């Protein structure tokens, strides 16, 4: 079985919680996914008017429902406004 690289934009509710959300993403993806996440890189990009998005690059095994599980975990993080998968590439 191969792997899939996901690129996911995570928008915070407000910028005051930005660093806390980044840490929560790292904790959830590394510790609470049952080994599903093989690699994780967390970055950020400017949106507008001082707002930033958290950009998570996540590698998971290619299998049914893996991307949905990751997306649901990210949506469950406190102070997250929205989660959008913007890229999915088979490795």
């Amino acid at each position: 079985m191969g792997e899939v690289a996901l690129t996911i934009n995570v928008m915070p509710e407000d910028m005051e919680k930005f660093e806390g959300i980044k840490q929560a993403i790292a904790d959830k993806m590394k510790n609470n996914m049952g080994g599903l996440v093989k690699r994780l890189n967390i970055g950020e990009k400017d949106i507008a008017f001082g707002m930033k998005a958290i950009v998570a690059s996540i590698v998971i095994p290619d299998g049914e429902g893996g991307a949905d599980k990751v997306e649901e975990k990210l949506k469950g993080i406190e102070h997250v406004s929205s989660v959008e998968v913007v890229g999915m590439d088979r490795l």
Side-chain angles (χ1 to χ4, degrees):
M1 181 174 1
E3 294 180 328
V4 174
L6 303 172
T7 303
I8 302 174
N9 286 347
V10 179
M11 291 298 299
E13 289 176 349
D14 62 58
M15 294 309 297
E16 291 178 11
K17 308 290 185 190
F18 192 79
E19 292 301 322
I21 294 171
K22 284 172 65 173
Q23 185 60 48
I25 290 170
D27 292 344
K28 285 221 185 249
M29 293 297 107
K30 291 180 181 176
N31 301 323
N32 296 330
M33 295 298 293
L36 179 67
V37 175
K38 303 300 180 192
R39 281 177 275 171
L40 171 67
N41 184 26
I42 298 173
E44 55 189 64
K45 73 175 182 179
D46 293 327
I47 302 297
F49 307 109
M51 291 292 295
K52 295 181 182 181
I54 299 166
V55 180
S57 299
I58 302 169
V59 176
I60 60 173
D62 185 14
E64 193 170 323
D68 293 335
K69 290 178 188 174
V70 170
E71 190 174 358
E72 286 302 313
K73 280 287 188 188
L74 293 174
K75 285 180 180 177
I77 295 173
E78 192 174 7
H79 305 294
V80 167
S81 174
S82 66
V83 175
E84 179 183 15
V85 176
V86 293
M88 184 181 300
D89 298 305
R90 182 171 273 146
L91 302 178

